[in-house]
Coordinates of all heavy atoms in Angstrom, one line a residue:
E1 N -0.3 -5.6 -44.5 CA -1.6 -5.1 -44.2 C -2.5 -6.2 -43.7 O -3.2 -6.1 -42.7 CB -2.1 -4.3 -45.3 CG -3.4 -3.6 -45.0 CD -3.3 -2.2 -44.4 OE1 -2.2 -1.6 -44.5 OE2 -4.2 -1.7 -43.8
N2 N -2.6 -7.3 -44.5 CA -3.5 -8.4 -44.2 C -3.1 -9.0 -42.9 O -3.9 -9.5 -42.1 CB -3.6 -9.4 -45.3 CG -4.4 -8.9 -46.5 OD1 -5.2 -8.0 -46.3 ND2 -4.2 -9.5 -47.6
E3 N -1.8 -9.2 -42.7 CA -1.3 -9.8 -41.5 C -1.7 -8.9 -40.2 O -2.1 -9.5 -39.2 CB 0.3 -9.9 -41.5 CG 0.8 -10.7 -40.4 CD 2.3 -10.9 -40.5 OE1 2.8 -11.1 -41.7 OE2 3.0 -10.8 -39.5
K4 N -1.6 -7.6 -40.4 CA -2.0 -6.7 -39.3 C -3.5 -6.9 -39.0 O -3.8 -7.0 -37.8 CB -1.7 -5.3 -39.6 CG -2.0 -4.3 -38.5 CD -1.7 -2.9 -38.9 CE -2.1 -2.0 -37.8 NZ -1.9 -0.6 -38.2
S5 N -4.3 -7.0 -40.0 CA -5.7 -7.2 -39.8 C -6.0 -8.5 -39.1 O -6.9 -8.6 -38.2 CB -6.5 -7.1 -41.1 OG -6.4 -5.9 -41.7
L6 N -5.3 -9.6 -39.5 CA -5.5 -10.9 -38.9 C -5.1 -10.8 -37.4 O -5.8 -11.4 -36.5 CB -4.7 -11.9 -39.6 CG -4.8 -13.4 -39.1 CD1 -6.2 -13.8 -39.2 CD2 -3.9 -14.3 -39.9
I7 N -4.0 -10.2 -37.1 CA -3.6 -10.1 -35.7 C -4.6 -9.3 -34.9 O -5.0 -9.7 -33.8 CB -2.2 -9.4 -35.6 CG1 -1.1 -10.4 -36.1 CG2 -1.8 -9.1 -34.1 CD1 0.2 -9.8 -36.3
E8 N -5.1 -8.2 -35.4 CA -6.1 -7.4 -34.7 C -7.4 -8.2 -34.5 O -8.0 -8.1 -33.4 CB -6.3 -6.1 -35.4 CG -5.2 -5.1 -35.3 CD -5.4 -3.9 -36.2 OE1 -6.4 -3.8 -36.9 OE2 -4.5 -3.0 -36.1
S9 N -7.8 -9.0 -35.4 CA -9.0 -9.7 -35.3 C -8.9 -10.8 -34.3 O -9.9 -11.3 -33.7 CB -9.5 -10.3 -36.7 OG -8.6 -11.3 -37.1
N10 N -7.7 -11.3 -34.0 CA -7.5 -12.3 -33.0 C -7.2 -11.8 -31.6 O -7.0 -12.6 -30.7 CB -6.4 -13.3 -33.5 CG -6.9 -14.2 -34.6 OD1 -8.0 -14.5 -34.7 ND2 -6.0 -14.5 -35.5
A11 N -7.0 -10.5 -31.5 CA -6.6 -9.9 -30.2 C -7.8 -10.1 -29.2 O -8.9 -10.1 -29.6 CB -6.3 -8.4 -30.4
R12 N -7.4 -10.2 -27.9 CA -8.5 -10.4 -26.9 C -8.3 -9.2 -25.9 O -7.2 -8.8 -25.6 CB -8.3 -11.7 -26.3 CG -8.5 -12.8 -27.4 CD -8.6 -14.2 -26.8 NE -9.9 -14.6 -26.2 CZ -11.0 -14.9 -26.8 NH1 -11.1 -14.9 -28.1 NH2 -12.0 -15.3 -26.1
Y13 N -9.4 -8.9 -25.3 CA -9.5 -7.8 -24.4 C -10.2 -8.2 -23.1 O -11.0 -9.1 -23.1 CB -10.2 -6.6 -25.0 CG -9.6 -6.1 -26.3 CD1 -10.0 -6.6 -27.5 CD2 -8.5 -5.3 -26.2 CE1 -9.4 -6.3 -28.7 CE2 -7.9 -4.9 -27.4 CZ -8.3 -5.4 -28.6 OH -7.7 -5.0 -29.8
A14 N -9.8 -7.6 -22.0 CA -10.4 -7.9 -20.7 C -11.9 -7.4 -20.6 O -12.1 -6.2 -21.0 CB -9.6 -7.4 -19.5
L15 N -12.8 -8.2 -20.2 CA -14.2 -7.8 -20.1 C -14.7 -8.2 -18.7 O -14.6 -9.4 -18.3 CB -15.0 -8.5 -21.1 CG -16.5 -8.2 -21.1 CD1 -16.9 -6.7 -21.2 CD2 -17.2 -9.0 -22.2
L16 N -15.1 -7.2 -17.9 CA -15.7 -7.5 -16.6 C -17.1 -7.0 -16.6 O -17.4 -5.9 -16.9 CB -14.9 -6.7 -15.5 CG -15.4 -6.8 -14.1 CD1 -15.2 -8.3 -13.6 CD2 -14.6 -5.9 -13.1
I17 N -18.0 -7.9 -16.2 CA -19.4 -7.7 -16.2 C -19.9 -7.9 -14.8 O -19.7 -9.0 -14.2 CB -20.2 -8.6 -17.2 CG1 -19.6 -8.5 -18.6 CG2 -21.7 -8.2 -17.1 CD1 -20.1 -9.5 -19.5
K18 N -20.6 -6.9 -14.2 CA -21.1 -7.0 -12.8 C -22.6 -6.8 -12.7 O -23.1 -5.8 -13.3 CB -20.4 -6.1 -11.9 CG -20.7 -6.3 -10.4 CD -19.9 -5.5 -9.5 CE -20.3 -5.8 -8.0 NZ -19.7 -4.9 -7.1
N19 N -23.3 -7.7 -12.1 CA -24.7 -7.6 -11.8 C -24.9 -6.9 -10.5 O -24.8 -7.5 -9.5 CB -25.4 -9.0 -11.9 CG -26.9 -8.9 -11.6 OD1 -27.4 -7.8 -11.6 ND2 -27.5 -10.1 -11.4
E20 N -25.3 -5.6 -10.6 CA -25.6 -4.9 -9.4 C -27.1 -4.8 -9.1 O -27.6 -4.0 -8.3 CB -25.0 -3.5 -9.4 CG -23.5 -3.5 -9.3 CD -22.9 -2.1 -9.1 OE1 -23.6 -1.1 -9.2 OE2 -21.6 -2.0 -8.9
S21 N -27.9 -5.5 -9.9 CA -29.3 -5.5 -9.7 C -29.7 -6.5 -8.5 O -28.8 -7.2 -8.0 CB -30.1 -6.0 -11.0 OG -29.9 -7.4 -11.2
K22 N -31.0 -6.5 -8.2 CA -31.4 -7.4 -7.1 C -31.9 -8.7 -7.6 O -32.5 -9.6 -6.9 CB -32.5 -6.7 -6.3 CG -32.0 -5.5 -5.6 CD -33.1 -4.8 -4.7 CE -32.8 -3.6 -4.1 NZ -31.9 -2.9 -3.6
S23 N -31.8 -9.0 -8.9 CA -32.3 -10.2 -9.6 C -31.2 -10.8 -10.4 O -30.3 -10.2 -10.9 CB -33.5 -9.8 -10.4 OG -34.5 -9.2 -9.7
P24 N -31.4 -12.1 -10.7 CA -30.5 -12.8 -11.6 C -30.6 -12.2 -13.0 O -31.6 -11.7 -13.4 CB -31.0 -14.2 -11.6 CG -31.8 -14.4 -10.4 CD -32.4 -13.0 -10.1
V25 N -29.5 -12.2 -13.7 CA -29.4 -11.7 -15.1 C -28.8 -12.8 -16.0 O -27.9 -13.5 -15.6 CB -28.5 -10.4 -15.1 CG1 -28.2 -10.0 -16.5 CG2 -29.1 -9.3 -14.3
Q26 N -29.4 -12.9 -17.2 CA -28.9 -13.8 -18.2 C -28.2 -13.1 -19.2 O -28.7 -12.1 -19.7 CB -30.1 -14.6 -18.8 CG -29.7 -15.7 -19.7 CD -28.8 -16.8 -19.1 OE1 -29.2 -17.3 -18.0 NE2 -27.7 -17.1 -19.7
L27 N -27.0 -13.5 -19.6 CA -26.2 -12.9 -20.7 C -26.2 -13.8 -21.9 O -26.1 -15.0 -21.8 CB -24.8 -12.7 -20.2 CG -24.5 -11.7 -19.1 CD1 -23.0 -11.7 -18.8 CD2 -24.9 -10.3 -19.6
Y28 N -26.4 -13.1 -23.0 CA -26.4 -13.8 -24.3 C -25.4 -13.0 -25.2 O -25.3 -11.8 -25.1 CB -27.7 -13.7 -25.0 CG -28.8 -14.4 -24.3 CD1 -29.6 -13.7 -23.3 CD2 -29.2 -15.7 -24.6 CE1 -30.6 -14.4 -22.6 CE2 -30.2 -16.4 -23.9 CZ -30.9 -15.7 -22.9 OH -31.9 -16.3 -22.3
Y29 N -24.7 -13.7 -26.1 CA -24.0 -13.1 -27.2 C -24.7 -13.3 -28.5 O -25.5 -14.3 -28.6 CB -22.5 -13.5 -27.2 CG -22.3 -14.9 -27.7 CD1 -22.1 -15.2 -29.1 CD2 -22.3 -16.0 -26.9 CE1 -21.9 -16.5 -29.5 CE2 -22.1 -17.3 -27.3 CZ -21.9 -17.5 -28.6 OH -21.7 -18.8 -29.1
L30 N -24.5 -12.5 -29.5 CA -25.1 -12.7 -30.8 C -24.1 -13.3 -31.7 O -23.0 -12.8 -31.8 CB -25.6 -11.3 -31.3 CG -26.7 -10.6 -30.5 CD1 -27.0 -9.3 -31.2 CD2 -27.9 -11.5 -30.3
D31 N -24.5 -14.4 -32.4 CA -23.6 -15.1 -33.3 C -23.6 -14.3 -34.6 O -24.2 -13.2 -34.7 CB -24.0 -16.5 -33.5 CG -25.3 -16.8 -34.3 OD1 -25.8 -15.8 -34.8 OD2 -25.7 -17.9 -34.3
E32 N -22.8 -14.8 -35.6 CA -22.6 -14.1 -36.9 C -24.0 -13.8 -37.6 O -24.1 -12.9 -38.4 CB -21.7 -14.9 -37.8 CG -20.3 -15.0 -37.2 CD -20.1 -16.1 -36.2 OE1 -21.0 -17.0 -36.1 OE2 -19.1 -16.1 -35.5
Q33 N -25.0 -14.6 -37.3 CA -26.3 -14.4 -38.0 C -27.3 -13.6 -37.1 O -28.4 -13.4 -37.5 CB -27.0 -15.8 -38.3 CG -26.3 -16.6 -39.4 CD -25.0 -17.2 -39.0 OE1 -24.8 -17.7 -37.9 NE2 -24.0 -17.2 -39.9
G34 N -26.8 -13.1 -36.0 CA -27.6 -12.3 -35.1 C -28.5 -13.1 -34.2 O -29.4 -12.6 -33.5
V35 N -28.2 -14.4 -34.0 CA -29.0 -15.3 -33.2 C -28.5 -15.2 -31.7 O -27.3 -15.3 -31.6 CB -29.1 -16.7 -33.7 CG1 -29.8 -17.6 -32.8 CG2 -29.7 -16.7 -35.1
R36 N -29.4 -15.1 -30.7 CA -28.9 -15.1 -29.3 C -28.4 -16.5 -29.0 O -29.0 -17.5 -29.2 CB -30.1 -14.9 -28.4 CG -30.5 -13.5 -28.3 CD -31.6 -13.4 -27.2 NE -32.2 -12.1 -27.2 CZ -33.1 -11.7 -26.3 NH1 -33.4 -12.5 -25.3 NH2 -33.6 -10.5 -26.4
K37 N -27.2 -16.5 -28.3 CA -26.6 -17.7 -27.8 C -26.4 -17.5 -26.3 O -25.7 -16.5 -25.9 CB -25.3 -18.0 -28.5 CG -25.4 -18.2 -30.0 CD -26.1 -19.5 -30.3 CE -26.1 -19.7 -31.8 NZ -26.7 -20.9 -32.2
E38 N -26.9 -18.4 -25.5 CA -26.7 -18.3 -24.0 C -25.3 -18.3 -23.7 O -24.5 -19.1 -24.1 CB -27.5 -19.4 -23.3 CG -27.7 -19.1 -21.9 CD -28.7 -20.1 -21.2 OE1 -29.6 -20.5 -21.9 OE2 -28.6 -20.3 -20.0
D39 N -24.9 -17.4 -22.8 CA -23.5 -17.3 -22.4 C -23.3 -17.5 -20.9 O -22.7 -18.5 -20.5 CB -22.9 -15.9 -22.8 CG -21.4 -15.9 -22.9 OD1 -20.8 -16.9 -23.3 OD2 -20.8 -14.8 -22.7
Y40 N -23.8 -16.7 -20.1 CA -23.7 -16.8 -18.6 C -24.9 -16.3 -17.9 O -25.7 -15.5 -18.4 CB -22.5 -15.9 -18.1 CG -21.2 -16.4 -18.5 CD1 -20.5 -16.0 -19.7 CD2 -20.5 -17.4 -17.8 CE1 -19.3 -16.4 -20.0 CE2 -19.3 -17.9 -18.1 CZ -18.7 -17.4 -19.3 OH -17.4 -17.9 -19.6
S41 N -25.1 -16.8 -16.7 CA -26.1 -16.3 -15.8 C -25.4 -15.7 -14.6 O -24.5 -16.4 -14.0 CB -27.0 -17.5 -15.4 OG -28.0 -17.0 -14.5
L42 N -25.8 -14.5 -14.2 CA -25.2 -13.9 -13.1 C -26.2 -13.6 -11.9 O -27.2 -13.0 -12.2 CB -24.6 -12.5 -13.5 CG -23.4 -12.5 -14.5 CD1 -23.0 -11.1 -14.9 CD2 -22.2 -13.3 -13.9
K43 N -25.9 -14.1 -10.7 CA -26.7 -13.8 -9.6 C -26.5 -12.4 -9.1 O -25.5 -11.7 -9.5 CB -26.3 -14.8 -8.4 CG -26.5 -16.2 -8.8 CD -26.0 -17.1 -7.7 CE -26.2 -18.6 -8.1 NZ -25.5 -19.5 -7.1
P44 N -27.4 -11.8 -8.3 CA -27.3 -10.5 -7.8 C -25.9 -10.3 -7.1 O -25.5 -11.2 -6.3 CB -28.4 -10.3 -6.8 CG -29.5 -11.3 -7.3 CD -28.7 -12.5 -7.9
G45 N -25.2 -9.3 -7.5 CA -23.9 -9.0 -6.9 C -22.7 -9.8 -7.5 O -21.5 -9.5 -7.2
Q46 N -23.0 -10.8 -8.3 CA -22.0 -11.6 -9.0 C -21.3 -10.8 -10.1 O -22.0 -10.0 -10.8 CB -22.6 -12.9 -9.5 CG -21.5 -13.9 -10.0 CD -22.2 -15.2 -10.4 OE1 -23.4 -15.3 -10.6 NE2 -21.3 -16.2 -10.6
A47 N -20.0 -11.1 -10.3 CA -19.3 -10.5 -11.4 C -18.6 -11.6 -12.3 O -18.4 -12.7 -11.8 CB -18.2 -9.6 -10.9
L48 N -18.4 -11.3 -13.5 CA -17.8 -12.2 -14.5 C -16.6 -11.5 -15.1 O -16.7 -10.4 -15.6 CB -18.8 -12.6 -15.5 CG -18.3 -13.4 -16.8 CD1 -17.8 -14.8 -16.4 CD2 -19.4 -13.4 -17.8
S49 N -15.5 -12.2 -15.1 CA -14.3 -11.7 -15.8 C -13.9 -12.6 -16.9 O -13.8 -13.8 -16.6 CB -13.2 -11.5 -14.8 OG -12.0 -11.0 -15.4
K50 N -13.7 -12.1 -18.1 CA -13.4 -13.0 -19.2 C -12.6 -12.2 -20.2 O -12.5 -11.0 -20.2 CB -14.6 -13.6 -19.8 CG -15.6 -12.6 -20.4 CD -16.9 -13.3 -20.9 CE -16.7 -14.1 -22.2 NZ -17.9 -14.5 -22.8
S51 N -11.9 -12.9 -21.1 CA -11.3 -12.2 -22.2 C -12.2 -12.4 -23.5 O -12.8 -13.5 -23.6 CB -9.9 -12.7 -22.5 OG -9.9 -14.1 -22.9
E52 N -12.2 -11.4 -24.3 CA -13.1 -11.4 -25.5 C -12.5 -10.7 -26.6 O -11.7 -9.8 -26.5 CB -14.4 -10.8 -25.0 CG -15.6 -10.9 -26.0 CD -15.9 -12.4 -26.3 OE1 -16.7 -12.9 -25.6 OE2 -15.4 -12.9 -27.3
R53 N -12.9 -11.2 -27.8 CA -12.5 -10.5 -29.1 C -13.3 -9.2 -29.2 O -14.3 -9.0 -28.5 CB -12.8 -11.4 -30.3 CG -12.0 -12.6 -30.3 CD -12.2 -13.5 -31.5 NE -13.6 -13.5 -32.0 CZ -14.5 -14.3 -31.6 NH1 -14.3 -15.2 -30.6 NH2 -15.7 -14.3 -32.1
R54 N -12.9 -8.3 -30.1 CA -13.7 -7.1 -30.3 C -14.9 -7.3 -31.2 O -14.9 -8.4 -31.9 CB -12.8 -6.0 -30.9 CG -12.6 -6.0 -32.4 CD -11.6 -5.0 -32.8 NE -12.3 -3.7 -33.1 CZ -11.7 -2.7 -33.7 NH1 -10.5 -2.7 -34.0 NH2 -12.4 -1.6 -33.9
S55 N -15.8 -6.5 -31.1 CA -17.1 -6.5 -32.0 C -18.0 -7.7 -31.7 O -18.6 -8.2 -32.5 CB -16.7 -6.5 -33.5 OG -16.0 -5.3 -33.8
I56 N -18.0 -8.1 -30.4 CA -19.0 -9.1 -30.0 C -20.1 -8.4 -29.3 O -19.9 -7.6 -28.3 CB -18.3 -10.1 -29.0 CG1 -17.1 -10.8 -29.6 CG2 -19.3 -11.2 -28.5 CD1 -17.3 -11.6 -30.8
S57 N -21.3 -8.7 -29.7 CA -22.5 -8.0 -29.2 C -23.1 -8.9 -28.1 O -23.3 -10.1 -28.3 CB -23.6 -7.8 -30.2 OG -23.1 -6.8 -31.2
Y58 N -23.5 -8.3 -27.0 CA -24.1 -9.0 -25.8 C -25.5 -8.4 -25.5 O -25.7 -7.2 -25.7 CB -23.3 -8.8 -24.6 CG -22.1 -9.8 -24.5 CD1 -20.9 -9.4 -25.1 CD2 -22.2 -11.0 -24.0 CE1 -19.8 -10.2 -25.0 CE2 -21.1 -11.9 -23.9 CZ -19.9 -11.5 -24.5 OH -18.8 -12.3 -24.4
I59 N -26.4 -9.2 -25.0 CA -27.7 -8.7 -24.5 C -27.8 -9.3 -23.1 O -27.5 -10.4 -22.8 CB -28.8 -9.2 -25.4 CG1 -28.7 -8.7 -26.8 CG2 -30.2 -8.9 -24.7 CD1 -29.7 -9.2 -27.7
A60 N -28.3 -8.4 -22.2 CA -28.6 -8.8 -20.8 C -30.1 -8.8 -20.6 O -30.7 -7.8 -21.0 CB -27.9 -7.9 -19.8
T61 N -30.6 -9.9 -20.1 CA -32.1 -10.0 -19.8 C -32.3 -10.4 -18.4 O -31.5 -10.9 -17.7 CB -32.7 -11.0 -20.7 OG1 -32.3 -12.4 -20.3 CG2 -32.4 -10.8 -22.2
D62 N -33.6 -10.1 -18.0 CA -34.0 -10.6 -16.7 C -34.5 -12.1 -16.8 O -34.3 -12.6 -17.9 CB -35.1 -9.7 -16.1 CG -36.4 -9.7 -16.9 OD1 -36.6 -10.6 -17.8 OD2 -37.3 -8.9 -16.6
E63 N -35.0 -12.6 -15.7 CA -35.4 -14.1 -15.8 C -36.5 -14.4 -16.8 O -36.6 -15.5 -17.3 CB -35.8 -14.5 -14.4 CG -34.7 -14.5 -13.4 CD -35.2 -14.9 -12.0 OE1 -36.0 -14.1 -11.4 OE2 -34.8 -16.0 -11.5
K64 N -37.3 -13.4 -17.1 CA -38.4 -13.6 -18.0 C -38.0 -13.3 -19.5 O -38.8 -13.3 -20.4 CB -39.6 -12.7 -17.6 CG -40.2 -13.1 -16.2 CD -41.3 -12.2 -15.8 CE -41.8 -12.6 -14.5 NZ -42.9 -11.7 -14.0
G65 N -36.8 -12.9 -19.7 CA -36.3 -12.6 -21.0 C -36.4 -11.2 -21.5 O -36.1 -10.8 -22.6
K66 N -36.9 -10.3 -20.6 CA -36.9 -8.8 -20.9 C -35.6 -8.3 -21.0 O -34.7 -8.4 -20.1 CB -37.7 -8.1 -19.8 CG -37.8 -6.6 -20.1 CD -38.6 -5.9 -18.9 CE -38.5 -4.4 -19.1 NZ -38.9 -3.7 -17.9
C67 N -35.3 -7.6 -22.1 CA -34.0 -7.0 -22.3 C -33.7 -5.8 -21.3 O -34.5 -4.9 -21.2 CB -33.9 -6.4 -23.7 SG -32.3 -5.7 -24.1
L68 N -32.6 -6.0 -20.6 CA -32.2 -4.9 -19.7 C -31.1 -4.0 -20.3 O -30.9 -2.9 -19.8 CB -31.6 -5.6 -18.4 CG -32.5 -6.5 -17.7 CD1 -31.7 -7.3 -16.6 CD2 -33.7 -5.8 -17.1
G69 N -30.5 -4.5 -21.3 CA -29.5 -3.6 -22.0 C -28.7 -4.5 -22.9 O -28.8 -5.7 -23.0
Q70 N -27.9 -3.8 -23.7 CA -27.0 -4.4 -24.7 C -25.7 -3.7 -24.8 O -25.7 -2.5 -24.5 CB -27.7 -4.5 -26.1 CG -28.0 -3.2 -26.7 CD -28.8 -3.3 -28.0 OE1 -29.3 -4.4 -28.3 NE2 -28.9 -2.3 -28.7
F71 N -24.7 -4.4 -25.2 CA -23.4 -3.7 -25.3 C -22.6 -4.5 -26.3 O -22.8 -5.7 -26.6 CB -22.6 -3.5 -24.0 CG -22.3 -4.8 -23.3 CD1 -21.1 -5.5 -23.4 CD2 -23.3 -5.4 -22.4 CE1 -20.9 -6.7 -22.8 CE2 -23.0 -6.6 -21.8 CZ -21.8 -7.2 -21.9
K72 N -21.6 -3.8 -26.9 CA -20.7 -4.5 -27.9 C -19.2 -4.2 -27.5 O -18.9 -3.1 -27.1 CB -21.0 -3.9 -29.3 CG -20.2 -4.5 -30.4 CD -20.7 -3.9 -31.7 CE -20.0 -4.6 -32.9 NZ -20.5 -4.1 -34.2
T73 N -18.4 -5.3 -27.5 CA -17.0 -5.1 -27.2 C -16.3 -4.2 -28.2 O -16.6 -4.3 -29.4 CB -16.3 -6.4 -27.0 OG1 -16.4 -7.2 -28.2 CG2 -17.0 -7.3 -25.9
S74 N -15.3 -3.5 -27.7 CA -14.5 -2.7 -28.6 C -13.1 -3.1 -28.6 O -12.8 -4.2 -28.1 CB -14.6 -1.2 -28.2 OG -14.1 -1.0 -26.9
G75 N -12.2 -2.4 -29.0 CA -10.8 -2.7 -29.0 C -10.1 -2.3 -27.8 O -8.9 -2.0 -27.8
N76 N -10.9 -2.3 -26.7 CA -10.3 -1.9 -25.4 C -10.9 -2.8 -24.3 O -11.9 -3.4 -24.4 CB -10.8 -0.4 -25.0 CG -10.3 0.6 -26.0 OD1 -9.1 0.7 -26.2 ND2 -11.2 1.3 -26.6
D77 N -10.2 -2.8 -23.1 CA -10.7 -3.5 -22.0 C -12.0 -2.7 -21.6 O -12.2 -1.5 -21.8 CB -9.7 -3.4 -20.8 CG -8.5 -4.2 -21.1 OD1 -8.5 -5.1 -22.0 OD2 -7.4 -4.0 -20.4
A78 N -13.0 -3.5 -21.0 CA -14.3 -2.8 -20.6 C -14.8 -3.4 -19.3 O -14.5 -4.5 -18.9 CB -15.3 -3.1 -21.7
F79 N -15.6 -2.5 -18.6 CA -16.3 -2.8 -17.4 C -17.7 -2.5 -17.6 O -18.1 -1.3 -17.9 CB -15.6 -2.0 -16.2 CG -16.3 -2.3 -14.9 CD1 -16.5 -3.6 -14.5 CD2 -16.5 -1.2 -14.0 CE1 -17.1 -3.8 -13.2 CE2 -17.1 -1.5 -12.8 CZ -17.3 -2.8 -12.4
V80 N -18.6 -3.5 -17.5 CA -20.0 -3.3 -17.7 C -20.8 -3.5 -16.4 O -20.5 -4.6 -15.7 CB -20.6 -4.3 -18.7 CG1 -22.1 -4.1 -18.9 CG2 -19.8 -4.0 -20.1
I81 N -21.6 -2.6 -16.0 CA -22.4 -2.7 -14.7 C -23.9 -2.8 -15.2 O -24.4 -2.0 -15.9 CB -22.2 -1.5 -13.8 CG1 -20.8 -1.4 -13.4 CG2 -23.2 -1.7 -12.6 CD1 -20.5 -0.2 -12.5
I82 N -24.5 -3.9 -14.7 CA -26.0 -4.1 -14.9 C -26.7 -3.7 -13.6 O -26.4 -4.3 -12.6 CB -26.3 -5.5 -15.3 CG1 -25.5 -5.9 -16.6 CG2 -27.8 -5.7 -15.5 CD1 -25.4 -7.3 -16.9
K83 N -27.6 -2.7 -13.7 CA -28.4 -2.3 -12.5 C -29.8 -2.6 -12.7 O -30.4 -2.7 -13.7 CB -28.2 -0.8 -12.4 CG -26.8 -0.4 -12.0 CD -26.7 1.0 -11.7 CE -25.3 1.3 -11.2 NZ -25.1 2.6 -10.6

């Protein structure tokens, strides 16, 4: 049982994030203490493809830091569109 949990916690999933807005978007992930950590900046029309563990929380902001949305990875591949 513990071995299965360890394998599941190390599993990685495909994550595709696309900025369909007309402005740059900044992506942050939240660390274990809930602190924002800068991850990526996406230009308008730009997409990011990466592999990620499950249960990682992300926040997307505009250039001024206004939150545009948030999402959390699950145990599945995901496609996120920011408008």
Side-chain angles (χ1 to χ4, degrees):
E1 184 89 17
N2 287 341
E3 186 175 326
K4 182 180 178 188
S5 296
L6 181 60
I7 290 169
E8 287 176 357
S9 69
N10 289 326
R12 299 189 74 82
Y13 303 92
L15 176 61
L16 179 63
I17 305 166
K18 185 171 184 188
N19 179 8
E20 289 189 354
S21 75
K22 295 182 184 338
S23 302
V25 170
Q26 184 62 48
L27 293 175
Y28 299 87
Y29 70 91
L30 300 179
D31 70 11
E32 295 82 17
Q33 288 75 40
V35 176
R36 283 186 189 186
K37 300 292 183 177
E38 194 168 333
D39 201 30
Y40 289 96
S41 182
L42 295 176
K43 296 175 184 173
Q46 187 177 13
L48 168 69
S49 179
K50 63 186 287 188
S51 66
E52 190 59 87
R53 297 182 324 274
R54 84 185 270 189
S55 299
I56 304 296
S57 295
Y58 281 89
I59 296 174
T61 70
D62 65 12
E63 293 176 292
K64 297 178 181 176
K66 178 184 173 191
C67 183
L68 301 172
Q70 61 186 15
F71 60 94
K72 186 174 185 176
T73 58
S74 64
N76 299 302
D77 296 341
F79 181 44
V80 177
I81 298 174
I82 301 167
K83 293 186 175 192

